[in-house]
Amino acid sequence: MSEEKVDNFERQAKNASADIVIDNKFFRWAENFWFYHKWHLLIAVAVIFVLVTVIFQMTERDSDDIVILTAGPYKPSVSQSHSISDAFETVLPYDLNGDGEKNVSAAHIEVYSKDQLIEFKNEYKAENGESPLINSSLNAENLKGFHNLIMAGEYSVCIIDMWLYEDVKDAGGFRPLAEIFPDGIPTGAIDEYAVRFSETEFAKSFDCFKDLPESTVICLRTQGVMNSIFNKSSADEKYSQAIETFKAILNYKSIEE
């Protein structure tokens, strides 16, 4: 085939491909839907992921002796999450569910206050020269999820950021330390309900906690009413175990001592 014929053939092929138009109503609808609703979809997917994770953690509770709620303006890595669980298993007073193993999970919710979002935005811009993309809607949904879990009383031992603590404390959501430690409240107590987590011997003894914000506190939720209504004996037992775990964390002494 001559070089001229080859060029003509290629031009015809390009022209033919340019005339091909996919006119599919579904594709047009999908493209239009994505254009107008992509952020809603992305937020919905993220919220579903969080809910599925929490539900999975709840369904796995039979294999866990206890689940500790952590929440605040940070997101632990996978390896850090494992290290945090290992640290809690070290201090667990005994095999709570009697399955022969000590298993502790930390259910974490990443959530920021308005001031923390502003601070993060300013720090990011100073370091990178541009403003970060902040998903305020997802943060609001995570905050709603935190309050739902607290209201449901699913978790008793809480290691959370100060502003989250203040919200729940104002609603009477935490046990007074004096009721749990009648001989004297622990060192580092910020008020009658919570202890600054970084000041506990437990937090100082494990590197996995060193990056937690200084504003993190540890506190004990009052017993969930709904759980007590539907399964009182089991709920009472689990809450008693949560108290023992809470006391073990705050009474922890490092081996070096």
Side-chain angles (χ1 to χ4, degrees):
M1 183 180 293
S2 68
E3 187 174 332
E4 182 179 355
K5 288 183 178 180
V6 170
D7 290 340
N8 289 334
F9 179 78
E10 290 180 349
R11 281 197 296 272
Q12 290 173 2
K14 288 180 179 179
N15 291 335
S17 62
D19 292 336
I20 297 175
V21 178
I22 299 176
D23 187 17
N24 184 289
K25 290 183 178 180
F26 175 77
F27 288 150
R28 291 203 309 273
W29 174 85
E31 182 180 13
N32 184 68
F33 185 84
W34 174 254
F35 179 80
Y36 287 104
H37 300 284
K38 58 184 176 182
W39 286 114
H40 296 86
L41 282 173
L42 291 173
I43 292 171
V45 170
V47 171
I48 290 172
F49 175 77
V50 171
L51 290 176
V52 169
T53 301
V54 171
I55 291 172
F56 175 77
Q57 290 169 339
M58 291 173 65
T59 57
E60 289 293 303
R61 281 188 301 173
D62 288 341
S63 63
D64 289 323
D65 292 278
I66 191 170
V67 180
I68 294 173
L69 177 63
T70 63
Y74 63 96
K75 183 178 182 180
S77 65
V78 174
S79 61
Q80 187 180 15
S81 296
H82 289 313
S83 297
I84 289 174
S85 293
D86 291 342
F88 285 127
E89 288 167 9
T90 300
V91 78
L92 199 68
Y94 57 92
D95 173 23
L96 300 180
N97 62 9
D99 66 353
E101 297 180 355
K102 289 184 178 182
N103 293 311
V104 179
S105 291
H108 181 70
I109 299 178
E110 182 183 9
V111 60
Y112 299 75
S113 68
K114 291 181 179 179
D115 289 341
Q116 288 169 343
L117 284 176
I118 292 173
E119 182 180 359
F120 170 73
K121 181 179 179 180
N122 292 337
E123 290 179 353
Y124 185 94
K125 188 173 183 178
E127 293 177 3
N128 301 278
E130 59 181 7
S131 297
L133 181 62
I134 297 176
N135 194 332
S136 299
S137 297
L138 178 58
N139 189 66
E141 289 296 330
N142 286 348
L143 178 58
K144 185 185 297 183
F146 168 79
H147 284 299
N148 287 341
L149 288 176
I150 285 291
M151 289 178 63
E154 287 293 337
Y155 308 113
S156 298
V157 180
C158 303
I159 300 176
I160 57 180
D161 202 70
M162 182 73 75
W163 71 281
L164 296 169
Y165 163 73
E166 293 290 351
D167 279 353
V168 181
K169 183 188 77 170
D170 291 343
F174 295 119
R175 284 282 300 275
L177 292 170
E179 291 182 4
I180 306 165
F181 302 95
D183 295 330
I185 62 176
T187 302
I190 61 169
D191 58 17
E192 59 183 310
Y193 301 103
V195 174
R196 191 175 299 278
F197 187 63
S198 63
E199 294 186 19
T200 65
E201 191 63 36
F202 177 69
K204 295 175 182 178
S205 300
F206 296 91
D207 289 341
C208 55
F209 298 119
K210 66 181 181 180
D211 294 329
L212 267 62
E214 283 293 317
S215 53
T216 303
V217 299
I218 179 171
C219 41
L220 184 71
R221 178 78 169 87
T222 53
Q223 186 170 0
V225 176
M226 295 304 293
N227 288 344
S228 298
I229 291 175
F230 292 110
N231 195 350
K232 181 171 174 54
S233 60
S234 176
D236 288 349
E237 181 182 9
K238 285 184 178 297
Y239 191 68
S240 176
Q241 293 171 349
I243 293 175
E244 292 301 312
T245 303
F246 183 71
K247 290 168 64 176
I249 292 173
L250 291 177
N251 287 331
Y252 179 83
K253 300 296 181 183
S254 66
I255 297 177
E256 295 180 356
E257 294 186 354

